[in-house]
Amino acid sequence: MNELEKFDKLKTKVLKYALYKKRSESEIRRKFAEYSGKMLDEVIDNLKENGYIDDNAYIKRAVCEFQRLKNLSIKELEYKLLSKGIDKQDIENYISKNKEELLEYEINSAKNIFTKKETIMEKKDIAFYLKKKGYSNESIELAQE
């Protein structure tokens, strides 16, 4: 098999993997670690140029998905993205650009947790629980009111 056929075969595998579920560059590199080297770099660069791999778009999509499904603090969002192999600087840029929206989400998440847990826990215990989960003091105070 010549180099071009190998490249096309790898590109097809990576593309199928990336299209099945949007993935970060790091997830793709982990999955195809046995192909590490120049060929994998070229495939990833090619797919990035064509918009199939875009970590910034991945961050936006993942945050929207987390917001719909879970009650998380901004810190928890950050940790989840870091666990996907997203560059810390990209995450911090996204958070700083969307600070107001994310803070509003965090406050609403804290309110939801207070509502769910207030029948089984005291307010100070819920506040401590939220603090442990990375919620800001401001979000906790606003959620308690």
Side-chain angles (χ1 to χ4, degrees):
M1 194 180 315
N2 70 29
E3 286 298 310
L4 186 59
E5 288 173 336
K6 287 180 184 177
F7 179 83
D8 283 342
K9 189 174 180 178
L10 179 59
K11 184 177 174 184
T12 302
K13 281 183 181 181
V14 172
L15 185 58
K16 282 182 182 179
Y17 183 71
L19 290 177
Y20 178 73
K21 177 185 166 200
K22 289 295 183 184
R23 312 214 189 242
S24 69
E25 179 180 344
S26 178
E27 287 176 302
I28 291 169
R29 287 191 183 280
R30 274 184 287 211
K31 172 71 175 172
F32 296 96
E34 74 257 20
Y35 297 101
S36 64
K38 186 178 179 190
M39 189 177 295
L40 182 61
D41 290 340
E42 288 175 8
V43 167
I44 288 174
D45 288 343
N46 184 280
L47 294 177
K48 282 171 131 177
E49 287 173 17
N50 292 308
Y52 293 108
I53 300 172
D54 182 352
D55 282 356
N56 290 318
Y58 180 89
I59 292 169
K60 186 176 182 177
R61 236 182 346 272
V63 168
C64 288
E65 188 176 308
F66 294 146
Q67 287 177 330
R68 280 195 315 271
L69 300 174
K70 301 178 182 206
N71 291 315
L72 300 171
S73 68
I74 294 172
K75 275 284 181 220
E76 287 175 304
L77 288 172
E78 186 177 345
Y79 291 141
K80 285 192 172 285
L81 291 168
L82 284 170
S83 74
K84 297 291 186 181
I86 304 292
D87 183 61
K88 187 170 179 65
Q89 190 62 46
D90 290 341
I91 297 168
E92 288 172 357
N93 289 341
Y94 178 84
I95 290 172
S96 68
K97 286 179 187 172
N98 299 284
K99 189 71 173 172
E100 286 182 30
E101 176 191 331
L102 291 173
L103 192 55
E104 184 179 323
Y105 162 72
E106 183 178 80
I107 292 165
N108 287 332
S109 293
K111 284 179 185 176
N112 290 339
I113 292 172
F114 265 106
T115 303
K116 288 178 186 175
K117 296 194 179 286
E118 68 186 348
T119 58
I120 58 172
M121 293 172 76
E122 291 183 31
K123 282 192 174 196
K124 66 178 172 109
D125 293 333
I126 299 170
F128 181 71
Y129 170 79
L130 291 172
K131 188 69 178 161
K132 279 189 345 188
K133 289 180 64 77
Y135 285 82
S136 68
N137 289 331
E138 177 187 1
S139 296
I140 295 169
E141 289 170 12
L142 290 170
Q144 276 182 316
E145 293 174 1

